[in-house]
């Protein structure tokens, strides 16, 4: 199993558990400083890792949580499909911000909770599996709703539903699903292409301002690696203190991840708000 070296733990520990249980090997391709002084896990290095014999699965965040790097999912999906390698994508940092097309990108499995860029409530999310793989991926959580006769309670015909509903084992989080549905309707009424275009404008503006104020930009932006997240660092000001100062004194929320500051404006943010953040960040 191949993944990135700086990957969100939700996409690492399950594979460590698989390593413990089944003896698979987890290969983490390291993050590097690129020619523009940005941090990224290079496409060529991931491709080289896939080139090793006995690779069965690539599991990657579409957008990495600590660098904001958007991977070239289309290219990786093409290579995986060509070699019979399964491709699992964590879409939580891209769905709702950037276009995703599971078929065009040759994604086999896609998972995401709805509470980030999709603006849904926590505790409701989505899972996609390519139809052809249903019988290769046996549900690990099985309940009354996993089977075809899910209303015929006393008839214990243990036959899974013919589609991905076999993974929905019991009563769902209905209130969460309703909120998630409403959030998706709202996003679709704006349109994902318009949202992505807006995020490019806002994040470009933020990066320009940060550079003028002497911050080091961590997020790669070239070759379509940009995303809605801007990760940056300061050589002078402690990151935790900056984050707390913004929260307390200005009601501005940014995060600290892997010793980096991370700002994640969404389409509803304004240029004025980006400028307000820049104005209150200390210079170098
Ligand atoms: C890449 C990535 N995956 C997953 C998650 C969330 O995972 P979970 O819904 O399991 O808390 C996050 C959020 O912080 C993330 O950045």
């Amino acid at each position: 199993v191949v993944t990135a070296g700086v990957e969100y733990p939700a996409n690492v520990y399950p594979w460590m558990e698989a390593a413990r249980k089944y003896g698979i090997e987890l290969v983490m391709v390291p993050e590097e400083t690129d020619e523009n002084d940005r941090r990224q896990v290079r496409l060529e290095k991931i491709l080289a890792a896939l080139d090793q014999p006995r690779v069965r699965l690539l599991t990657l965040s579409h957008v990495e949580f600590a660098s904001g790097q958007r991977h070239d999912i289309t290219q990786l999906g093409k290579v995986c499909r060509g070699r019979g390698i399964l491709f699992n994508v964590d879409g939580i940092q891209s769905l709702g911000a950037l276009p995703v097309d599971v078929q065009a990108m040759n994604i086999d499995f896609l998972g995401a909770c709805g509470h980030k860029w999709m603006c849904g409530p926590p505790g409701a999310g989505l899972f996609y599996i390519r139809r052809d793989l249903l019988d290769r991926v046996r549900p690990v959580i099985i309940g009354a709703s996993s089977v075809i006769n899910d209303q015929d309670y006393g008839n214990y015909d243990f036959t899974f539903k013919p589609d991905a509903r076999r993974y929905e084992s019991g009563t769902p989080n209905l209130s969460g699903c309703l909120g998630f549905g409403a959030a998706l309707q709202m996003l679709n009424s704006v349109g994902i292409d318009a949202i992505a275009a807006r995020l490019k404008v806002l994040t470009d503006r933020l990066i320009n301002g940060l550079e003028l104020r002497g911050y080091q930009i961590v997020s790669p932006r070239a070759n379509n690696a940009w995303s809605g997240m801007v990760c940056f660092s300061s050589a002078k000001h402690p990151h935790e203190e900056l984050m707390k100062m913004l929260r307390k004194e200005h009601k501005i929320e940014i995060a600290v991840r892997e010793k980096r500051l991370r700002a994640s404006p969404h389409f509803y943010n304004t240029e004025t708000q980006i400028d307000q953040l820049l104005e209150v960040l200390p210079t170098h």
Side-chain angles (χ1 to χ4, degrees), residues 121-214:
L126 61 88
F127 168 61
Y128 162 84
I129 175 169
R130 181 156 64 90
R131 196 175 291 277
D132 298 353
L133 296 170
L134 281 170
D135 290 333
R136 282 178 67 188
V137 184
R138 210 175 158 77
V140 279
I141 301 173
I142 294 167
S145 304
S146 310
V147 299
I148 41 173
N149 294 317
D150 63 354
Q151 301 294 308
D152 191 0
Y153 301 107
N155 170 9
Y156 304 114
D157 176 357
F158 185 28
T159 307
F160 288 130
K161 284 182 177 156
D163 51 31
R165 288 177 306 155
R166 62 176 60 183
Y167 306 105
E168 295 175 1
S169 56
T171 308
N173 169 12
L174 284 172
S175 44
C177 291
L178 289 171
F180 189 23
L184 292 177
Q185 272 177 4
M186 180 274 292
L187 289 174
N188 280 333
S189 73
V190 181
I192 194 65
D193 292 328
I195 292 174
R198 177 77 184 140
L199 289 178
K200 180 74 167 62
V201 170
L202 291 176
T203 52
D204 276 347
R205 187 179 186 99
L206 179 56
I207 285 176
N208 285 339
L210 287 170
E211 283 180 330
L212 286 173
R213 299 183 87 75

Side-chain angles (χ1 to χ4, degrees), residues 38-187:
R38 307 292 172 86
R39 299 287 295 174
Q40 61 167 303
V41 179
R42 288 184 170 281
L43 177 64
E44 311 84 72
K45 298 282 172 76
I46 301 174
L47 293 174
L50 296 181
D51 221 7
Q52 301 303 311
R54 299 174 55 77
V55 174
R56 297 285 183 270
L57 185 130
L58 171 64
T59 181
L60 215 51
S61 292
H62 187 179
V63 170
E64 292 293 352
F65 83 106
S67 67
Q69 176 190 1
R70 174 179 7 175
H71 289 289
D72 188 343
I73 294 296
T74 306
Q75 173 68 9
L76 289 164
K78 204 156 86 185
V79 170
C80 285
R81 189 63 55 87
R83 300 204 191 148
I85 296 171
L86 295 171
F87 191 23
N88 179 48
V89 175
D90 178 338
I92 197 169
Q93 297 289 7
S94 66
L95 287 167
L98 301 167
V100 176
D101 180 335
V102 284
Q103 277 164 356
M105 292 171 157
N106 286 310
I107 294 172
D108 292 315
F109 316 105
L110 177 77
C113 197
H115 67 266
K116 290 190 185 288
W117 300 89
M118 289 188 281
C119 307
L126 61 88
F127 168 61
Y128 162 84
I129 175 169
R130 181 156 64 90
R131 196 175 291 277
D132 298 353
L133 296 170
L134 281 170
D135 290 333
R136 282 178 67 188
V137 184
R138 210 175 158 77
V140 279
I141 301 173
I142 294 167
S145 304
S146 310
V147 299
I148 41 173
N149 294 317
D150 63 354
Q151 301 294 308
D152 191 0
Y153 301 107
N155 170 9
Y156 304 114
D157 176 357
F158 185 28
T159 307
F160 288 130
K161 284 182 177 156
D163 51 31
R165 288 177 306 155
R166 62 176 60 183
Y167 306 105
E168 295 175 1
S169 56
T171 308
N173 169 12
L174 284 172
S175 44
C177 291
L178 289 171
F180 189 23
L184 292 177
Q185 272 177 4
M186 180 274 292
L187 289 174

